[in-house]
PDB file of all heavy atoms in Angstrom:
ATOM      1  N   TYR A   1    -180.549 179.184 218.323  1.00  0.00           N
ATOM      2  CA  TYR A   1    -180.209 177.769 218.010  1.00  0.00           C
ATOM      3  C   TYR A   1    -180.066 177.017 219.382  1.00  0.00           C
ATOM      4  O   TYR A   1    -180.619 175.879 219.385  1.00  0.00           O
ATOM      5  CB  TYR A   1    -178.896 177.717 217.234  1.00  0.00           C
ATOM      6  CG  TYR A   1    -178.400 176.385 217.260  1.00  0.00           C
ATOM      7  CD1 TYR A   1    -178.745 175.329 216.265  1.00  0.00           C
ATOM      8  CD2 TYR A   1    -177.165 175.968 218.008  1.00  0.00           C
ATOM      9  CE1 TYR A   1    -178.362 174.025 216.308  1.00  0.00           C
ATOM     10  CE2 TYR A   1    -176.747 174.701 217.973  1.00  0.00           C
ATOM     11  CZ  TYR A   1    -177.174 173.723 217.126  1.00  0.00           C
ATOM     12  OH  TYR A   1    -176.713 172.482 217.102  1.00  0.00           O
ATOM     13  N   LYS A   2    -179.585 177.706 220.415  1.00  0.00           N
ATOM     14  CA  LYS A   2    -179.519 177.037 221.667  1.00  0.00           C
ATOM     15  C   LYS A   2    -180.921 176.796 222.281  1.00  0.00           C
ATOM     16  O   LYS A   2    -181.115 175.733 222.969  1.00  0.00           O
ATOM     17  CB  LYS A   2    -178.683 178.020 222.625  1.00  0.00           C
ATOM     18  CG  LYS A   2    -177.236 177.980 222.362  1.00  0.00           C
ATOM     19  CD  LYS A   2    -176.466 178.797 223.296  1.00  0.00           C
ATOM     20  CE  LYS A   2    -174.974 178.828 223.129  1.00  0.00           C
ATOM     21  NZ  LYS A   2    -174.234 179.635 224.117  1.00  0.00           N
ATOM     22  N   LEU A   3    -181.819 177.686 221.950  1.00  0.00           N
ATOM     23  CA  LEU A   3    -183.192 177.382 222.434  1.00  0.00           C
ATOM     24  C   LEU A   3    -183.827 176.241 221.700  1.00  0.00           C
ATOM     25  O   LEU A   3    -184.580 175.409 222.251  1.00  0.00           O
ATOM     26  CB  LEU A   3    -184.015 178.653 222.170  1.00  0.00           C
ATOM     27  CG  LEU A   3    -183.642 179.896 222.989  1.00  0.00           C
ATOM     28  CD1 LEU A   3    -184.680 181.083 222.626  1.00  0.00           C
ATOM     29  CD2 LEU A   3    -183.900 179.521 224.544  1.00  0.00           C
ATOM     30  N   VAL A   4    -183.525 176.088 220.378  1.00  0.00           N
ATOM     31  CA  VAL A   4    -184.065 175.030 219.620  1.00  0.00           C
ATOM     32  C   VAL A   4    -183.564 173.644 220.120  1.00  0.00           C
ATOM     33  O   VAL A   4    -184.347 172.735 220.232  1.00  0.00           O
ATOM     34  CB  VAL A   4    -183.738 175.286 218.079  1.00  0.00           C
ATOM     35  CG1 VAL A   4    -184.073 174.010 217.276  1.00  0.00           C
ATOM     36  CG2 VAL A   4    -184.424 176.431 217.523  1.00  0.00           C
ATOM     37  N   VAL A   5    -182.287 173.681 220.404  1.00  0.00           N
ATOM     38  CA  VAL A   5    -181.737 172.291 220.852  1.00  0.00           C
ATOM     39  C   VAL A   5    -181.967 172.162 222.298  1.00  0.00           C
ATOM     40  O   VAL A   5    -181.510 171.086 222.877  1.00  0.00           O
ATOM     41  CB  VAL A   5    -180.266 172.192 220.493  1.00  0.00           C
ATOM     42  CG1 VAL A   5    -180.057 172.231 218.990  1.00  0.00           C
ATOM     43  CG2 VAL A   5    -179.419 173.369 221.185  1.00  0.00           C
ATOM     44  N   GLY A   6    -182.614 172.989 223.022  1.00  0.00           N
ATOM     45  CA  GLY A   6    -182.973 172.906 224.368  1.00  0.00           C
ATOM     46  C   GLY A   6    -181.783 173.202 225.341  1.00  0.00           C
ATOM     47  O   GLY A   6    -181.902 172.876 226.453  1.00  0.00           O
ATOM     48  N   GLY A   7    -180.753 173.983 224.861  1.00  0.00           N
ATOM     49  CA  GLY A   7    -179.587 174.136 225.768  1.00  0.00           C
ATOM     50  C   GLY A   7    -179.656 175.540 226.299  1.00  0.00           C
ATOM     51  O   GLY A   7    -178.763 176.026 227.069  1.00  0.00           O
ATOM     52  N   GLY A   8    -180.699 176.404 225.971  1.00  0.00           N
ATOM     53  CA  GLY A   8    -180.720 177.793 226.388  1.00  0.00           C
ATOM     54  C   GLY A   8    -181.637 178.042 227.612  1.00  0.00           C
ATOM     55  O   GLY A   8    -182.410 177.140 227.945  1.00  0.00           O
ATOM     56  N   ALA A   9    -181.436 179.010 228.396  1.00  0.00           N
ATOM     57  CA  ALA A   9    -182.296 179.501 229.424  1.00  0.00           C
ATOM     58  C   ALA A   9    -183.216 180.473 229.001  1.00  0.00           C
ATOM     59  O   ALA A   9    -182.820 181.322 228.243  1.00  0.00           O
ATOM     60  CB  ALA A   9    -181.468 179.831 230.645  1.00  0.00           C
ATOM     61  N   GLY A  10    -184.424 180.553 229.495  1.00  0.00           N
ATOM     62  CA  GLY A  10    -185.422 181.598 229.244  1.00  0.00           C
ATOM     63  C   GLY A  10    -186.804 181.160 229.530  1.00  0.00           C
ATOM     64  O   GLY A  10    -187.027 180.037 230.175  1.00  0.00           O
ATOM     65  N   SER A  11    -187.750 181.873 229.149  1.00  0.00           N
ATOM     66  CA  SER A  11    -189.131 181.627 229.376  1.00  0.00           C
ATOM     67  C   SER A  11    -189.518 180.465 228.638  1.00  0.00           C
ATOM     68  O   SER A  11    -188.957 180.103 227.590  1.00  0.00           O
ATOM     69  CB  SER A  11    -189.930 182.874 229.117  1.00  0.00           C
ATOM     70  OG  SER A  11    -189.966 183.110 227.710  1.00  0.00           O
ATOM     71  N   HIS A  12    -190.719 179.766 228.952  1.00  0.00           N
ATOM     72  CA  HIS A  12    -191.324 178.740 228.250  1.00  0.00           C
ATOM     73  C   HIS A  12    -191.626 179.199 226.931  1.00  0.00           C
ATOM     74  O   HIS A  12    -191.522 178.397 225.844  1.00  0.00           O
ATOM     75  CB  HIS A  12    -192.485 178.176 228.957  1.00  0.00           C
ATOM     76  CG  HIS A  12    -192.129 177.383 230.229  1.00  0.00           C
ATOM     77  ND1 HIS A  12    -191.458 176.200 230.164  1.00  0.00           N
ATOM     78  CD2 HIS A  12    -192.400 177.604 231.561  1.00  0.00           C
ATOM     79  CE1 HIS A  12    -191.236 175.787 231.474  1.00  0.00           C
ATOM     80  NE2 HIS A  12    -191.806 176.565 232.214  1.00  0.00           N
ATOM     81  N   PHE A  13    -192.112 180.393 226.700  1.00  0.00           N
ATOM     82  CA  PHE A  13    -192.534 180.972 225.388  1.00  0.00           C
ATOM     83  C   PHE A  13    -191.264 180.896 224.433  1.00  0.00           C
ATOM     84  O   PHE A  13    -191.298 180.564 223.256  1.00  0.00           O
ATOM     85  CB  PHE A  13    -193.070 182.369 225.462  1.00  0.00           C
ATOM     86  CG  PHE A  13    -193.398 182.965 224.136  1.00  0.00           C
ATOM     87  CD1 PHE A  13    -194.616 182.612 223.479  1.00  0.00           C
ATOM     88  CD2 PHE A  13    -192.462 183.850 223.589  1.00  0.00           C
ATOM     89  CE1 PHE A  13    -194.908 183.141 222.277  1.00  0.00           C
ATOM     90  CE2 PHE A  13    -192.788 184.431 222.265  1.00  0.00           C
ATOM     91  CZ  PHE A  13    -193.928 183.987 221.669  1.00  0.00           C
ATOM     92  N   MET A  14    -190.151 181.483 225.014  1.00  0.00           N
ATOM     93  CA  MET A  14    -188.892 181.568 224.140  1.00  0.00           C
ATOM     94  C   MET A  14    -188.451 180.085 223.776  1.00  0.00           C
ATOM     95  O   MET A  14    -187.992 179.807 222.742  1.00  0.00           O
ATOM     96  CB  MET A  14    -187.810 182.230 224.889  1.00  0.00           C
ATOM     97  CG  MET A  14    -188.126 183.762 225.062  1.00  0.00           C
ATOM     98  SD  MET A  14    -186.840 184.568 225.949  1.00  0.00           S
ATOM     99  CE  MET A  14    -185.440 184.345 224.881  1.00  0.00           C
ATOM    100  N   LEU A  15    -188.467 179.198 224.760  1.00  0.00           N
ATOM    101  CA  LEU A  15    -188.042 177.837 224.526  1.00  0.00           C
ATOM    102  C   LEU A  15    -188.879 177.099 223.471  1.00  0.00           C
ATOM    103  O   LEU A  15    -188.330 176.424 222.694  1.00  0.00           O
ATOM    104  CB  LEU A  15    -187.917 177.015 225.868  1.00  0.00           C
ATOM    105  CG  LEU A  15    -186.896 177.495 226.861  1.00  0.00           C
ATOM    106  CD1 LEU A  15    -187.130 176.711 228.214  1.00  0.00           C
ATOM    107  CD2 LEU A  15    -185.491 177.213 226.416  1.00  0.00           C
ATOM    108  N   ASP A  16    -190.169 177.353 223.558  1.00  0.00           N
ATOM    109  CA  ASP A  16    -191.108 176.712 222.612  1.00  0.00           C
ATOM    110  C   ASP A  16    -191.022 177.326 221.226  1.00  0.00           C
ATOM    111  O   ASP A  16    -191.457 176.623 220.299  1.00  0.00           O
ATOM    112  CB  ASP A  16    -192.568 176.804 223.127  1.00  0.00           C
ATOM    113  CG  ASP A  16    -192.761 175.934 224.431  1.00  0.00           C
ATOM    114  OD1 ASP A  16    -191.941 175.023 224.709  1.00  0.00           O
ATOM    115  OD2 ASP A  16    -193.728 176.342 225.129  1.00  0.00           O
ATOM    116  N   ASN A  17    -190.593 178.514 221.164  1.00  0.00           N
ATOM    117  CA  ASN A  17    -190.591 179.238 219.835  1.00  0.00           C
ATOM    118  C   ASN A  17    -189.129 179.654 219.333  1.00  0.00           C
ATOM    119  O   ASN A  17    -189.061 180.588 218.525  1.00  0.00           O
ATOM    120  CB  ASN A  17    -191.532 180.535 219.930  1.00  0.00           C
ATOM    121  CG  ASN A  17    -192.999 180.038 220.247  1.00  0.00           C
ATOM    122  OD1 ASN A  17    -193.671 179.645 219.315  1.00  0.00           O
ATOM    123  ND2 ASN A  17    -193.362 180.158 221.488  1.00  0.00           N
ATOM    124  N   GLY A  18    -188.236 179.020 219.970  1.00  0.00           N
ATOM    125  CA  GLY A  18    -186.777 179.330 219.486  1.00  0.00           C
ATOM    126  C   GLY A  18    -186.573 179.140 218.012  1.00  0.00           C
ATOM    127  O   GLY A  18    -185.957 179.919 217.436  1.00  0.00           O
ATOM    128  N   TYR A  19    -187.254 178.036 217.463  1.00  0.00           N
ATOM    129  CA  TYR A  19    -187.090 177.718 216.027  1.00  0.00           C
ATOM    130  C   TYR A  19    -187.778 178.992 215.188  1.00  0.00           C
ATOM    131  O   TYR A  19    -187.166 179.320 214.187  1.00  0.00           O
ATOM    132  CB  TYR A  19    -187.662 176.479 215.661  1.00  0.00           C
ATOM    133  CG  TYR A  19    -187.600 175.978 214.280  1.00  0.00           C
ATOM    134  CD1 TYR A  19    -186.285 175.595 213.782  1.00  0.00           C
ATOM    135  CD2 TYR A  19    -188.662 175.943 213.365  1.00  0.00           C
ATOM    136  CE1 TYR A  19    -186.115 175.295 212.475  1.00  0.00           C
ATOM    137  CE2 TYR A  19    -188.478 175.452 212.117  1.00  0.00           C
ATOM    138  CZ  TYR A  19    -187.164 175.147 211.720  1.00  0.00           C
ATOM    139  OH  TYR A  19    -186.975 174.715 210.415  1.00  0.00           O
ATOM    140  N   LEU A  20    -188.819 179.551 215.661  1.00  0.00           N
ATOM    141  CA  LEU A  20    -189.494 180.555 214.931  1.00  0.00           C
ATOM    142  C   LEU A  20    -188.602 181.875 214.960  1.00  0.00           C
ATOM    143  O   LEU A  20    -188.488 182.644 214.119  1.00  0.00           O
ATOM    144  CB  LEU A  20    -190.809 180.899 215.485  1.00  0.00           C
ATOM    145  CG  LEU A  20    -191.960 179.714 215.272  1.00  0.00           C
ATOM    146  CD1 LEU A  20    -193.254 180.207 215.951  1.00  0.00           C
ATOM    147  CD2 LEU A  20    -192.179 179.458 213.779  1.00  0.00           C
ATOM    148  N   MET A  21    -187.996 181.919 216.114  1.00  0.00           N
ATOM    149  CA  MET A  21    -187.060 183.132 216.349  1.00  0.00           C
ATOM    150  C   MET A  21    -185.804 183.031 215.278  1.00  0.00           C
ATOM    151  O   MET A  21    -185.416 184.042 214.803  1.00  0.00           O
ATOM    152  CB  MET A  21    -186.437 183.177 217.716  1.00  0.00           C
ATOM    153  CG  MET A  21    -187.575 183.520 218.754  1.00  0.00           C
ATOM    154  SD  MET A  21    -186.749 183.562 220.380  1.00  0.00           S
ATOM    155  CE  MET A  21    -185.425 184.562 220.195  1.00  0.00           C
ATOM    156  N   LEU A  22    -185.363 181.783 215.044  1.00  0.00           N
ATOM    157  CA  LEU A  22    -184.299 181.564 214.058  1.00  0.00           C
ATOM    158  C   LEU A  22    -184.737 181.862 212.740  1.00  0.00           C
ATOM    159  O   LEU A  22    -183.965 182.510 212.002  1.00  0.00           O
ATOM    160  CB  LEU A  22    -183.888 180.052 214.245  1.00  0.00           C
ATOM    161  CG  LEU A  22    -182.697 179.592 213.354  1.00  0.00           C
ATOM    162  CD1 LEU A  22    -181.488 180.311 213.928  1.00  0.00           C
ATOM    163  CD2 LEU A  22    -182.496 178.083 213.596  1.00  0.00           C
ATOM    164  N   GLY A  23    -186.030 181.629 212.376  1.00  0.00           N
ATOM    165  CA  GLY A  23    -186.628 182.029 211.127  1.00  0.00           C
ATOM    166  C   GLY A  23    -186.627 183.493 210.951  1.00  0.00           C
ATOM    167  O   GLY A  23    -186.331 184.027 209.916  1.00  0.00           O
ATOM    168  N   LEU A  24    -187.016 184.169 212.041  1.00  0.00           N
ATOM    169  CA  LEU A  24    -186.947 185.683 211.985  1.00  0.00           C
ATOM    170  C   LEU A  24    -185.601 186.288 211.745  1.00  0.00           C
ATOM    171  O   LEU A  24    -185.414 187.315 211.186  1.00  0.00           O
ATOM    172  CB  LEU A  24    -187.622 186.208 213.293  1.00  0.00           C
ATOM    173  CG  LEU A  24    -189.074 186.055 213.428  1.00  0.00           C
ATOM    174  CD1 LEU A  24    -189.602 186.428 214.924  1.00  0.00           C
ATOM    175  CD2 LEU A  24    -189.944 186.762 212.350  1.00  0.00           C
ATOM    176  N   VAL A  25    -184.620 185.561 212.393  1.00  0.00           N
ATOM    177  CA  VAL A  25    -183.219 185.928 212.215  1.00  0.00           C
ATOM    178  C   VAL A  25    -182.787 186.005 210.713  1.00  0.00           C
ATOM    179  O   VAL A  25    -182.286 186.976 210.149  1.00  0.00           O
ATOM    180  CB  VAL A  25    -182.202 185.164 213.084  1.00  0.00           C
ATOM    181  CG1 VAL A  25    -180.850 185.420 212.628  1.00  0.00           C
ATOM    182  CG2 VAL A  25    -182.383 185.435 214.502  1.00  0.00           C
ATOM    183  N   PHE A  26    -183.092 184.852 210.048  1.00  0.00           N
ATOM    184  CA  PHE A  26    -182.710 184.726 208.691  1.00  0.00           C
ATOM    185  C   PHE A  26    -183.587 185.613 207.643  1.00  0.00           C
ATOM    186  O   PHE A  26    -183.088 186.176 206.776  1.00  0.00           O
ATOM    187  CB  PHE A  26    -182.881 183.238 208.182  1.00  0.00           C
ATOM    188  CG  PHE A  26    -181.717 182.357 208.624  1.00  0.00           C
ATOM    189  CD1 PHE A  26    -181.998 181.345 209.496  1.00  0.00           C
ATOM    190  CD2 PHE A  26    -180.438 182.634 208.280  1.00  0.00           C
ATOM    191  CE1 PHE A  26    -180.920 180.603 209.941  1.00  0.00           C
ATOM    192  CE2 PHE A  26    -179.330 181.883 208.678  1.00  0.00           C
ATOM    193  CZ  PHE A  26    -179.662 180.799 209.588  1.00  0.00           C
ATOM    194  N   GLY A  27    -184.823 185.879 208.229  1.00  0.00           N
ATOM    195  CA  GLY A  27    -185.698 186.721 207.431  1.00  0.00           C
ATOM    196  C   GLY A  27    -185.222 188.135 207.488  1.00  0.00           C
ATOM    197  O   GLY A  27    -185.237 188.846 206.539  1.00  0.00           O
TER     198      GLY A  27
END
């Protein structure tokens, strides 16, 4: 969620795909 709203730190890949990571969490 922090990556989705742009408040998290990490690689550009993680920042660009934070929303997909959120989907994987719920999945």
Side-chain angles (χ1 to χ4, degrees):
Y1 172 74
K2 288 184 177 181
L3 293 176
V4 169
V5 298
S11 66
H12 288 295
F13 176 81
M14 291 177 65
L15 291 172
D16 293 339
N17 296 282
Y19 186 64
L20 294 178
M21 288 176 59
L22 192 58
L24 291 175
V25 167
F26 285 117

